[in-house]
Amino acid sequence: MSRSPKFSADAGNAGELHQRVPAKGPHTADGHLTTNQGIRVSDNQNQLKSGARGPVLLEDFALREKIFHFDHERIPERIVHARGSAAHGYFEVYKSLSSITKADLFQRPGEKTPVFVRFSTVAGGAGSVDTPRDVRGFAVKFYTQEGNWDLVGNNIPVFFIQDAIKFPDLVHSVKMEADRGFPQAASAHDTFWDFISLMPESTHMIMWAMSDRTLPRSFATMEGFGVHTFRLVNAKGKSTFVKFHWKPKLGLQSTIWDEAVKIAGADPDFQRRDLFERIERGDYPEWELGLQLFDEEFAEKFEFDILDATKLIPEEVLPVRIVGRMVLDRMPDNFFAETEQVAFCPANIVPGVDFTNDPLLQGRLFSYLDTQKSRLGTANFHQLPINAPKCPMANFQRDGMMQTLVPKGRANYEPNSLVQAGEETGPRECPVTGFSNFADVDAASDTGGKVRIRPESFADHYSQARLFFRSLHEAEQAHLASAMVFELSKVQLEHVRVRVLSNLVNVDPALAQRVAAGLGAAVPKASAAAAKPIDLELSPALRIIDGPMQRETLEGRSVGILIADGSDAAEIEAVSKAVVAAKGRPVLVAPRVGGVKTKGGKHIPADGQLAGTPSIMFDAVALVLSPEAAQALTKEGAAVQFVMDAFGHLKAIGANAGAKALLDKAGVELDEGVTGLGKDFIRAAGRRFFEREPNVRTLA
Ligand code: HDE
């Protein structure tokens, strides 16, 4: 065993190991290795130890960070289509399809749109072999000038099930069996065939699955299909049904089953390697995009429902029209960053492409976003380079885990009128150029089709606001008006204050007047109302004060009883008992938590100390004080505040004669809510005295 402290793992070939070639990805100018924090690493071979043979030191941040990161390198694999291989390329349209679709990528002959295509098997895990008998995924992400369009298809034109709700069952049945964890990447087992045998709608797909289609020789020699019926929509809003086809330039080629099995042993990565090598060689895989286009009339006449994903339309019945080609000419730079993190979603469509009511497709529209959140861990997965659109994007979605964008300014909502303050306003919708869904009036005739319209019956925004305000007790009205004045006084954008006032005029001109007066502003004209507000019969149930839900009771309320040395024990006891008898909760508050020594020398412990138990904690207060104590407490801020707040908060104040000095100091004026300590206090303590309010504060 070597005990030499000088030994180093790379001692023998240090020169060779330290030659540097700048990387394509993140790198330092001089090729220096750093930590994730940018700290230069001095030794990537030996960890920090206390002595050559001693324990490893926790402070070795380079070691800890490196292992920490390594421990978290994996993300959940796809629940289906886990094993995949992908490549970059482009789609080139042959001639303009403007008569059938307004989709930008189909307008200008010869124009190329970047694509990223991922091929996959369905059942096997990420590390399974390339050549099981299985359906192949054929997912294309078009990075168009109008946003990303994902055509997430398979190499078979039909599917196992008609409704999305059966998908988890289908997938559970084909994946390795739940108890034993095998077979991997194989449909030849009990549970799959059990399910299939109970699922007659799968029969057509099973024919395909058992055919040579599920043994493709290479990705480059298989067809791709959008499977569902989609729509193409032209600039005039006319919809044409479409089924998408990818036709391989090299034609179709499959393997023999025996061959596929042997390939799996000889080269588990047969198709991934094939894709890589073709592109390396410059033999770029190529497909032509074909469309089967048809209208409602054809759909009606066709013997099967065009919304049924277990059916195809034979090319002999409806020819495939070739409209462009797709070439894959560049391998991803990094398998994880691109192939693993690419997030396809059938709901990603562009103007000119639209959905149908195919129930399987509709189910998929929900599913894929969920899966991305689960796999990539954040709603910001669209910011990953492979998922980000290559056209400009802007919206008010903000924050979230792993947010990498740093939006400026405070416009994170709309509508806003920040432009009037010379601030950035952020982006806006546009009904002309924005995506609009095909209305599909026929399919949804009873609801009038798919629209983004608010019904006329939702137009009245003011009448019930008026009803509410006018139904309130006048004290509540004053509170509401004052709250408006307070809030708007904090608003520095004058045009916003004016706009709120003009809305208030619709609610109630008198309210607008009160708020305007509180702001020192003029009352503006009423804002334009979608429906003219009307006077409704007032609803007393809407008010709190004097409304049907007002209760005058001590039940469930608490009374703070302020006591001090020299207080009368009998008085304290009497008021406490009376509160309890009325189902209230008495709380003794004293200058010291240890309690007080009463007039007769008795010790009474306190429940709370004055400074930490202000009157805001109670629904009413009682003062049981000797004249001397009251006098002394006039010099105690917490005591004065105790009483002043109770008065200002319109609470009942019961006081004995001795408390007068403190009442006076707190500015308490006699009213119905200021009582002695007897029955009148217990009665008063069950409510607040709003009639006092004009004497204690100015309200709008
Ligand atoms: Fe998928 N499918 N799928 N699927 N699918 C996924 O999304 C799902 C269906 C297809 O290379 C998942 O990101 C439901 C039909 C491909 O990354 C998941 C239903 C077709 C890929 C999902 C279907 C497909 C997926 C798993 C029934 C052919 C791989 C990981 C309504 C037209 C894309 C992921 C890639 C991937 C759900 C049915 C094709 C779980 C619920 C039909 C090619 O979201």
Side-chain angles (χ1 to χ4, degrees):
M1 183 192 308
S2 165
R3 292 184 178 224
S4 160
K6 298 223 172 72
F7 173 81
S8 165
D10 65 348
N13 46 12
E16 197 180 312
L17 283 180
H18 291 141
Q19 283 174 2
R20 295 165 191 176
V21 178
K24 267 204 233 165
H27 65 276
T28 46
D30 60 357
H32 210 296
L33 182 74
T34 75
T35 67
N36 282 341
Q37 306 301 324
I39 314 295
R40 289 171 163 244
V41 173
S42 60
D43 187 343
N44 196 28
Q45 321 303 324
N46 302 290
Q47 58 204 34
L48 192 65
K49 287 167 234 129
S50 171
R53 300 184 59 247
V56 176
L57 296 179
L58 270 179
E59 71 175 68
D60 188 350
F61 55 84
L63 162 73
R64 203 173 120 54
E65 180 198 85
K66 186 174 172 183
I67 302 278
F68 158 80
H69 200 277
F70 171 75
D71 290 344
H72 298 281
E73 276 180 6
R74 288 290 162 273
I75 59 173
E77 65 175 37
R78 291 166 175 80
I79 163 73
V80 280
H81 298 268
R83 174 148 186 102
S85 307
H88 292 275
Y90 59 85
F91 169 75
E92 181 180 1
V93 64
Y94 290 154
K95 60 177 193 159
S96 172
L97 298 182
S98 60
S99 62
I100 47 169
T101 175
K102 62 183 174 188
D104 184 66
L105 79 162
F106 291 127
Q107 303 306 305
R108 295 163 293 276
E111 186 168 302
K112 292 179 180 167
T113 300
V115 296
F116 187 71
V117 182
R118 184 173 179 274
F119 305 104
S120 47
T121 56
V122 178
S128 57
V129 298
D130 269 353
T131 54
R133 173 178 294 285
D134 200 355
V135 179
R136 297 301 189 280
F138 193 125
V140 182
K141 193 181 277 293
F142 297 87
Y143 301 94
T144 87
Q145 286 309 301
E146 291 182 324
N148 289 352
W149 172 31
D150 292 355
L151 187 54
V152 196
N154 279 344
N155 76 329
I156 286 176
V158 291
F159 202 66
F160 291 99
I161 47 173
Q162 296 175 320
D163 262 18
I165 196 169
K166 294 315 300 165
F167 191 65
D169 299 302
L170 166 72
V171 173
H172 288 172
S173 82
V174 72
K175 284 241 162 197
M176 49 194 198
E177 295 190 5
D179 54 352
R180 57 211 67 184
F182 60 84
Q184 176 64 251
S187 51
H189 58 111
D190 280 354
T191 56
F192 177 67
W193 285 98
D194 178 26
F195 178 79
I196 291 298
S197 66
L198 295 167
M199 199 58 44
E201 73 204 47
S202 299
T203 314
H204 184 190
M205 177 69 163
I206 282 295
M207 295 296 119
W208 284 81
M210 294 303 118
S211 79
D212 294 348
R213 291 275 181 164
T214 46
L215 304 173
R217 173 85 185 154
S218 144
F219 299 136
T221 59
M222 63 184 200
E223 277 181 296
F225 301 92
V227 178
H228 313 281
T229 300
F230 289 87
R231 292 173 185 280
L232 291 176
V233 183
N234 71 11
K236 294 195 184 114
K238 181 172 171 287
S239 148
T240 309
F241 289 123
V242 61
K243 283 202 174 264
F244 294 105
H245 297 247
W246 292 109
K247 300 271 184 196
K249 191 179 152 201
L250 301 178
L252 286 172
Q253 205 204 145
S254 291
T255 58
I256 303 300
W257 169 240
D258 181 64
E259 186 186 5
V261 172
K262 287 177 177 155
I263 292 172
D267 185 358
D269 307 303
F270 185 70
Q271 287 166 343
R272 180 176 291 179
R273 188 188 312 279
D274 174 74
L275 180 66
F276 185 89
E277 289 177 355
R278 279 177 199 273
I279 293 177
E280 285 265 299
R281 285 198 304 268
D283 290 340
Y284 300 138
E286 190 171 326
W287 289 260
E288 286 195 304
L289 178 65
L291 310 178
Q292 278 182 302
L293 297 164
F294 56 100
D295 56 13
E296 296 275 358
E297 200 186 329
F298 175 93
E300 284 296 314
K301 281 208 295 243
F302 186 59
E303 55 259 74
F304 301 102
D305 197 320
I306 56 115
L307 300 182
D308 176 356
T310 68
K311 306 295 184 302
L312 55 78
I313 305 176
E315 289 184 33
E316 295 69 20
V317 175
L318 184 66
V320 175
R321 201 169 128 191
I322 299 298
V323 298
R325 68 174 186 140
M326 179 170 75
V327 178
L328 299 184
D329 59 1
R330 182 164 65 86
M331 283 304 289
D333 288 317
N334 182 275
F335 184 87
F336 181 85
E338 298 176 273
T339 310
E340 195 57 15
Q341 293 199 117
V342 64
F344 289 97
C345 178
N348 292 349
I349 52 171
V350 289
V353 180
D354 215 323
F355 313 120
T356 59
N357 290 342
D358 173 339
L360 193 64
L361 172 61
Q362 293 286 329
R364 295 180 73 202
L365 301 182
F366 278 87
S367 166
Y368 289 62
L369 267 187
D370 278 347
T371 227
Q372 310 315 348
K373 170 67 181 58
S374 165
R375 293 193 61 239
L376 300 166
T378 164
N380 289 318
F381 67 85
H382 63 281
Q383 294 178 15
L384 294 170
I386 194 65
N387 295 324
K390 295 193 196 298
C391 63
M393 61 137 291
N395 58 40
F396 297 96
Q397 290 156 31
R398 290 288 188 273
D399 309 346
M401 251 191 229
M402 305 305 291
Q403 176 58 258
T404 61
L405 306 176
V406 186
K408 298 213 171 87
R410 50 180 180 166
N412 60 357
Y413 62 93
E414 72 88 30
N416 69 53
S417 60
L418 295 171
V419 67
Q420 293 182 37
E423 295 180 35
E424 283 191 20
T425 62
R428 289 294 183 274
E429 67 201 8
C430 171
V432 181
T433 56
F435 182 93
S436 57
N437 297 75
F438 180 69
D440 201 4
V441 179
D442 290 340
S445 50
D446 41 346
T447 58
K450 295 182 209 161
V451 289
R452 290 185 198 266
I453 292 178
R454 210 89 64 82
E456 202 50 43
S457 51
F458 279 46
D460 183 344
H461 305 312
Y462 295 112
S463 299
Q464 285 215 341
R466 174 179 296 178
L467 165 71
F468 177 75
F469 179 72
R470 291 188 180 168
S471 297
L472 296 182
H473 182 272
E474 65 183 76
E476 290 171 272
Q477 290 185 341
H479 292 165
L480 188 153
S482 302
M484 285 275 183
V485 172
F486 174 84
E487 302 253 332
L488 293 180
S489 298
K490 292 265 186 189
V491 170
Q492 291 173 351
L493 302 173
E494 197 194 338
H495 71 274
V496 172
R497 296 199 295 262
V498 173
R499 194 187 300 126
V500 175
L501 285 172
S502 66
N503 283 341
L504 283 185
V505 177
N506 285 320
V507 178
D508 186 318
L511 171 63
Q513 175 58 53
R514 284 164 79 168
V515 175
L519 293 172
V523 181
K525 273 203 336 231
S527 59
K532 200 168 151 14
I534 51 169
D535 292 335
L536 300 164
E537 194 166 330
L538 298 190
S539 166
L542 296 175
R543 68 173 70 140
I544 300 174
I545 305 168
D546 285 353
M549 286 300 292
Q550 170 152 304
R551 302 276 181 278
E552 286 194 16
T553 173
L554 250 186
E555 188 174 353
R557 302 191 190 208
S558 62
V559 176
I561 305 172
L562 181 60
I563 58 175
D565 286 346
S567 292
D568 184 325
E571 272 184 334
I572 298 174
E573 195 180 335
V575 73
S576 296
K577 276 194 170 157
V579 170
V580 171
K583 298 190 177 162
R585 190 171 62 89
V587 179
L588 296 183
V589 180
R592 283 178 297 278
V593 75
V596 301
K597 196 191 263 181
T598 62
K599 196 160 66 176
K602 193 174 159 197
H603 174 257
I604 296 185
D607 299 310
Q609 187 251 347
L610 180 54
T613 318
S615 65
I616 49 169
M617 299 170 82
F618 308 111
D619 301 292
V621 300
L623 312 177
V624 186
L625 300 170
S626 68
E628 299 74 30
Q631 192 59 48
L633 287 175
T634 59
K635 304 230 162 14
E636 186 57 70
V640 177
Q641 203 68 53
F642 189 91
V643 181
M644 198 186 251
D645 273 352
F647 190 68
H649 299 159
L650 316 179
K651 293 172 185 170
I653 301 176
N656 66 354
K660 183 165 185 324
L662 189 57
L663 288 176
D664 289 347
K665 176 76 181 192
V668 172
E669 291 165 19
L670 289 186
D671 64 22
E672 242 194 300
V674 181
T675 66
L677 289 177
K679 280 198 189 121
D680 49 347
F681 171 63
I682 298 299
R683 207 175 308 117
R687 58 173 285 221
R688 295 207 189 200
F689 293 86
F690 292 99
E691 47 281 36
R692 182 190 296 159
E693 197 158 29
N695 299 332
V696 293
R697 67 180 59 88
T698 309
L699 289 172

